[in-house]
Amino acid sequence: MYRILLFLFCWLLAVHARAQQSYWQQEVHYTIDVSLNDTTHSLTGFLSLQYINHSPDTLHYIWFHCWPNAFKNDRTAFSEQYLQNGKTDFYFADRDKRGYMNRLDFRVDGTPLKAEDHEQYIDVIKVDLESPLPPGGRLVLTTPFYVQLPYTFARMGHREKSYQVAYWYPRPAVYDRNGWHAMPYLEQGEGFGEFGSFDVRITLPKEYIVAATGELAEHDWKQETRSAQEWQTIADRQKQLINSQSGNKLPPPKWGQKKTGFSRTRPTQIELPTQGLKTLRYRQDRVHDFAWFADKKYIVSQDTVQLASGRTVQAFTYYTPDHKEEWTNSISMLKDAIRFRSALIGEYPYNVVTAVEAPIGFEGGMEYPTITSIAPGFSGKSLDLLIGHEVGHNWFYGILGSNERDHPWMDEGINSYYDKRYEQWKYPEPEKDDWASKRLPADEDRLLLSIMTKPHKDQPISTASADFANLNYHLVAYGKTAFWLQQLESRMGAQRFDSAMRAYYREWQFKHPAPADFQQVMQAHAATDLGGQFELLHTKGDIAPFAGRKKVQPVFMFSLKDPEHVNYINWFPLVGYNMYDKWMAGLLVHNFSLPANKFQFAVAPLYAFSSSQLNGIGTLQYNWWSDNRISKIQLGLSGARFSSLDGIDSSGNKVFGGFYKLAPYLRLHFRNRSARSTVEKWLEWRTFFIGERGFNYVQKQEDQQYYPKEAGWQSRYLNQLSFQLTDYRKLYPYDVQLQVQQGEGFYRASATAHYFMNYASGGGLQVRLFAARFGYLGERTPLKEFTTAVYQPKLTAVRGNEDYTYSNYFLGRNEFEGFGAQQIMMRDGGLKLRTDLFQGLQGRSDNWVAALNLSTNLPETIFPKAFPVRLFLDLGTFAEAWNKDAATSKFLYVGGLQLTLFRELLHVYAPLVYSKEFRDNLKTVPEENKFGKKISFSFDIHRFNLKKLSPYHFPY
């Protein structure tokens, strides 16, 4: 038995050794001279690159990333993804804010090489080698390059004369066992580079303070005057600190190859003026990227971090005077981050670590070897945790150089797991003291993830960066991976887990580990099989969902404290008003929450003080979610009751008319093929059962006047089939609704489309198209024409008494004088001019109607950008206008000013120009022709959509 065990042990060692021997990676060494022109915001550089082929393959070409070209035009992979993620600033950017790389001339030993553009990506090129590079071979490529830095939209560029110089040099793509990884630059999806060394000389105006990857190796004092006293002090201190670390060297590269010396050639085509300039030289071994930042205003803080081994690391933070107070403790935060991860994972191997405040185009931070950039606007705990996260990327991305583009969880996810441990270590006590915060969960990321997993809107952890929906990239690649690792830690035990992570760090540092490599190390340190745990990387759904029965708990206003275990019944007082019931008071009771419950309800009983009746609205709904073509099924019932008429009867008592409705419905939501799609599609059947009570008028003998008397309830029905297509994209969003309605003796088919045309300066043109066809079921009779008139489409905007499904909120549904009479509803043709006294001018048709509605924000030269005034123009026609004896022109129009408030909910319209027919008829009634009388307003509650208010379009 002993011999068998010994044999198995030796066999496993041999297999492991062979696996390690089969691993290889390429090696690169950069020497770069670059100068910054802060007038043209450009870089002029020269690259000398030693490329060593450790692969078993003979290479005939090398793919290079020229990522500044991602900012060359609006047809790059970056631009397309940037738009999909809801950002239009680059698409509309002026030419001077674009960027590019050119003047490339690749050579080997002075011999020019042929370069070919990638067939799909303009920021990737292929350089053909004149002589094939065999296994073990090496060569030195040289090229000049010129970079026009873009405005900083995403990581790289400049904001005025503050420079964020990332991905700025021609960079060879990774070549590994899976072939070439030639990839375009993306906002969502970071880099993947070969390990090697950098020797970079940066020449720029002497007033700039520079933060860069690696160690400041030398300083050319001859090019610097003593007038820049602040920089002089910083440079002196940095030089002294670096020199004091001269004995603190890294061991040789782990792949066992010594760098072969090769000469630095300063190209003759780069002529640098020396007056007022300085040159800084930075060096760093065993990294796969180099970034630098320059700003004249930087304040520099410095300290040292002593690690457990006794090694000392120089720590620097750079920040602007505008954020000096927020960054006061930044050095302490930086030191804590280095010590914490060094203790848990493995010691930080470099001699310097830097955090720099810099505008990077988005909230958050961005990591590069030995240096990280932090966007302005963070302070206190949030700044501490952000610095901790970005510095943590020195381990997971920097030292363990996994392919973040294909496996973002190995970078962002594992790093986020240590973020949670760091926060628990440094901030064990919650900071939620205010009323609202106490009703939020301790781990808000877990809540956000469950919002996506319940309706199957999430994606597997193993999804590639570019394939993630924007929201899922953060919730899954970061958050869900962290939860998965917490579960893995629990399964293995904390001690075994930490031991395995340290082994993973030791074995794969300065290499490119893949998911299988990580799994192999973790399994080797586990006491149980982890296959099932790692299978979860490829599945959707929550991590360890709660399977028990939830308890029910009433709560005032809302609570999201523990929706996994509690069904909250939310309640709060509610006040309502209309011109008949007057003020109403009651309660809103509902269980709408995040994540959504399968059974949802909301009821709002309201006692009306004028009519002394119980009114209200309510809805009941049951949801089924699936991962199939039909992603969601909703079966529900909505209802409402309110007064819509009032009067005084012959006895002096108040009488009221009103309505009630019940509307059962079934809605099918369709899943998109791509998780990144911003399209929503659904099909709905809804039937309205409506009861209405009006007035009969009787004559009183005493005064011969007519008085209202409550009539009996009259009932009707309406069947409605709707198909909705909405694209929530940021650029040119649109929605289309096709609808067919059928009632007693008639049908109505309509199409309504909205399209928004963005302006480069902000705002845009809203286009609405409407068309409707009306017809009779059976014979057309005068009685049918009269009873179906309210359903017939018309050109002018709809009044309260024409909202035949009672789908919108009206202050007064049957008002013809006063403020209530000025409310309209945007349905049908939508010409925004009240024509109450002129029925023949309303464009009502029992055949067809078509209309175009336009509204645009005003130029900034007239009104400030945020001023909510627009211009509107409505144009329409209808079937009867084309008759020979038509009473109107074929086309009618109305134009004027529009005030839009409360996120498109409230609109006020002031018509200024309109068709001759409207002008001529209004002149006959001077009282109606007053400017104030022609003003109208609408509450577009029927168009309200929570998803439009959320930049990520949560599945509410």
Side-chain angles (χ1 to χ4, degrees), residues 488-508:
L488 181 63
E489 176 198 336
S490 177
R491 186 179 181 88
M492 295 178 64
Q495 186 174 357
R496 286 180 179 271
F497 179 87
D498 286 343
S499 177
M501 289 302 296
R502 285 191 287 269
Y504 173 57
Y505 177 76
R506 288 192 305 270
E507 185 172 336
W508 286 98

Side-chain angles (χ1 to χ4, degrees), residues 82-153:
Y82 202 65
L83 274 177
Q84 288 179 0
N85 287 349
K87 300 174 184 177
T88 60
D89 51 341
F90 178 74
Y91 183 85
F92 288 115
D94 294 334
R95 192 181 192 90
D96 62 357
K97 289 187 176 181
R98 300 287 173 90
Y100 55 84
M101 173 185 282
N102 62 14
R103 304 183 192 173
L104 296 170
D105 180 17
F106 285 95
R107 295 172 181 261
V108 173
D109 295 328
T111 302
L113 304 179
K114 180 183 176 183
E116 302 176 30
D117 293 334
H118 192 283
E119 62 181 11
Q120 187 175 358
Y121 308 121
I122 68 172
D123 52 345
V124 180
I125 63 172
K126 183 172 72 171
V127 176
D128 293 322
L129 302 178
E130 184 184 29
S131 300
L133 185 63
R138 65 188 65 203
L139 55 79
V140 176
L141 295 96
T142 62
T143 183
F145 63 94
Y146 177 87
V147 175
Q148 178 61 56
L149 291 170
Y151 179 84
T152 302
F153 297 99

